[in-house]
Amino acid sequence: MRFELIARDAESSARCGLVYTDHGVIETPVFMPVGTVGSVKAVYHRDLKEDIKAQIILGNTYHLYLRPGTDIIRKAGGLHRFISWDRPILTDSGGYQVFSLSESRKLSERGCTFRSHIDGSSHLFTPEGVVDIQREIGADIIMALDECPPGDSDFKYARESLQLTKRWLERGIRHFDATDPLYGYSQTFFPIIQGCVYPQLRKEAAEHAVSLDREGYAIGGLSVGEPAEVMYEMLEVIEPVLPVDKPRYLMGVGTPSNILEAIHRGVDMFDCVMPTRNARNGMLFTSQGKINIRNKKWADDFSSIDEDGTSFVDSAYSKAYLRHLFISNEILGAQIASEHNLAFYLNLVKEARRHIKKGDFVSWKESAVKRLENKL
RNA sequence: GGGGAGAUACCAAAGUGGCCAACUGGGGCAGACUGUAAAUCUGCUGGCUUACGCCUUCGUAGGUUCGAAUCCUGCUCUCCCCA
């Protein structure tokens, strides 16, 4: 993997770049749709590529390991071939699942023992093991196993958690560097910077990650309950520590304005379930603001889903019809809403790229955020 | 013509003397969702009221009772069986 910086904003830390992978080039800032189990829920690959224009998608180590399992994926020739997706894939390590499924996990120096949510069976994830699994999955970008502590963790817990994450990181890198890709194309490994809401821990985590000299760096453990302002502050602490010539990935974020604010603070890559999950639950992000399509007020609104929308579904379907589909619990409603929301997100970051290159990113962002905040 | 069963809120359906403004499901209305155990979850859904509370409501008209959606009688309507 190689990163090329092609534009830097004069008034902020925003940048535009190109991430070269063996599955194609990614323009940054980029939003990566989440496809946890090898499926961006309710969206065809064709629409993902041609309409939404997704450049890269996510998979999840925890979920794919449990089902279908690495044997099947290896037999298929890797995840790309298994799911028929020829663009880049990034896999999360399962670190977030360690956090979100915390009721049934046990952390130790060695790794994390957890119980499958599918059949209750017991499994151990180690920093080395999740590298092996991600090698077998064939992800272009592999994530380190980390612990993602809750947003309200106290300093003592956060510090100890970070030390564990750092030790795990070193083990993961050692193992990654000692192993080879299985499918003839290269893979890269991103560390994850933790440290909760404590600036000194964030700085320490960033310095440690940078000292290990990887091709990109991820920021995790944010947007887990802390106020958005705190998240922005953490980004400001980390930004000057990170090398300008490497991509930065803010994991799991976020709302449209979260993303613009993070781009402002030098972040290049994003993923979030929000556009797809909220779509399935009837919430649409539109240029007119956030709408709940199930609300009665749309019952006889025959205007298109989003007048300024860029997606096929925006021009093809009306709000009244989409509402009808949701009220009738028709699957097509979830499909249309998901396609719309992803297209909205992808177009938002595309606009951000355009304004960074044009040189008016900050003023554009400020009015965009104001519009989004007022309406969302 | 004879026999039987039943009528409860928008719909279905529980309740069969006081703990009933009435279980539950659907529908309706609104909200939440941030590295996906989510096509999920939460609240409200007779009227007035911030609330306490008050008022009206279980086909209809009476009656019994301190008290009735619940017991009795008449009426109206619905369904089933036999002729």
Side-chain angles (χ1 to χ4, degrees), chain A residues 354-373:
Chain A
R354 190 166 73 79
H355 286 283
I356 293 167
K357 288 175 192 159
K358 200 173 148 200
D360 62 355
F361 171 75
V362 171
S363 60
W364 170 78
K365 184 219 77 177
E366 257 147 39
S367 63
V369 166
K370 202 169 289 178
R371 205 173 61 239
L372 292 165
E373 287 299 319

Side-chain angles (χ1 to χ4, degrees), chain A residues 133-159:
Chain A
I133 297 168
Q134 292 176 95
R135 287 280 196 204
E136 290 180 291
I137 289 170
D140 296 270
I141 301 174
I142 287 176
M143 301 306 301
L145 183 67
D146 63 340
E147 189 202 350
C148 179
D152 58 358
S153 300
D154 61 35
F155 182 79
K156 184 170 177 289
Y157 184 90
R159 188 182 55 202

Side-chain angles (χ1 to χ4, degrees), chain A residues 31 254-259 272-280 282-293 305-310 314 322 336-346 348 372 375-376:
Chain A
F31 181 82
T255 65
S257 54
N258 285 163
I259 287 172
C272 191
V273 304
M274 196 174 264
T276 43
R277 178 186 288 167
N278 287 24
R280 291 193 305 282
M283 204 226 83
L284 272 52
F285 296 96
T286 77
S287 57
Q288 307 307 307
K290 185 177 95 171
I291 68 175
N292 182 344
I293 198 64
I305 293 170
D306 186 350
E307 304 282 6
D308 301 325
T310 56
D314 294 316
L322 185 55
I336 292 171
S338 298
E339 187 162 340
H340 163 79
N341 274 359
L342 282 176
F344 179 86
Y345 266 63
L346 272 284
L348 186 73
L372 292 165
K375 289 175 175 172
L376 295 188

Side-chain angles (χ1 to χ4, degrees), chain A residues 217-228:
Chain A
Y217 301 94
I219 303 158
L222 289 174
S223 227
V224 287
E226 82 287 358

